Amino acid sequence: MKHPVTAMDRGRRLSQLLRQTLRPGGASLPIDSVGEHSGVLLDGGLSGLIWNRLAPMARATPTGRELRQGAFADAASAMRLDARLVEVVQALREAGVEPLVTKGWAVARYYLNPAARPYSDLDLAVRPDQAETARRALNAMGTRANPVDLHIGLPDLPERNWAEVFARSRIESLDGVAIRVLSPECQFRLLAVHLVRHVCCRPLWLIDIAAILEQVGKVMDWEYC
């Protein structure tokens, strides 16, 4: 007697499929390994991850074309937000505020292809005593600041003070502009807490954590994390 396919069965197969997208090299993905998950992949912002690894013949199938459309749309959206991030960070910096980018672009950096990691807003954290200054600077930008999700302090790192996290932060470059991001240890912890707090409602959040582990897990300071 054939046993019914459970949600756990599908979850394990999806996990195995996504794991292949985080590591360089490896075989291309056949369409029969993707088809049953197409709904989750398209709705969950996972199109780009899969499209980049699809076998050539798989890309010509209806599911492949759907994934291509989703991947291109997500990449275009990320490019627009990248440009807006530069603009917002510069405006805050001119006002005397140094923001920390806590998700979105900061997390995409850990993916083999950052354009495959879509995001919909700019998660920026500012020092609590600079909150009003930051709000005024964003208000002065008008609608150009609409994608900003401003965090006062670091609510998902309640046991860490701002000075400690800021001292461990790092500078990365985006279009020649310095962007301050969390250290890998703080980034990992923040994502893990955020995932649990929201009951892991998006598979993409698990992949974010896996991407960090793949890239820097062996050199992270796990005791501090």
Side-chain angles (χ1 to χ4, degrees), residues 77-123:
S77 176
M79 287 179 64
R80 289 192 294 270
L81 284 172
D82 287 355
R84 186 58 54 84
L85 176 60
V86 168
E87 188 179 2
V88 168
V89 167
Q90 288 177 319
L92 288 172
R93 200 167 277 154
E94 288 172 5
V97 178
E98 181 69 7
L100 277 168
V101 182
T102 61
K103 293 198 284 289
W105 180 82
V107 178
R109 296 166 43 252
Y110 292 98
Y111 282 70
L112 293 176
N113 178 6
R117 202 294 184 189
Y119 63 105
S120 58
D121 56 13
L122 306 178
D123 285 277

Side-chain angles (χ1 to χ4, degrees), residues 154-204:
L154 296 158
D156 279 327
L157 293 175
E159 71 293 338
R160 307 271 164 87
N161 63 60
W162 178 270
E164 174 187 0
V165 173
F166 192 87
R168 296 180 69 97
S169 66
R170 300 181 176 187
I171 293 291
E172 300 290 344
S173 178
L174 175 58
D175 294 338
V177 174
I179 306 292
R180 189 174 293 276
V181 299
L182 297 169
S183 68
E185 293 82 5
C186 291
Q187 186 68 82
F188 183 92
R189 187 177 180 88
L190 181 143
L191 291 176
V193 171
H194 180 265
L195 179 145
V196 172
R197 184 161 60 84
H198 290 280
V199 203
C200 192
C201 63
R202 296 191 70 193
L204 187 60

Side-chain angles (χ1 to χ4, degrees), residues 45 57-58 71 96-97 106 134-135 143 153 158 161 174 180 208 219:
M57 291 184 63
V97 178
R135 289 192 183 101
T143 58
N161 63 60
L174 175 58
R180 189 174 293 276
D208 288 343
V219 297

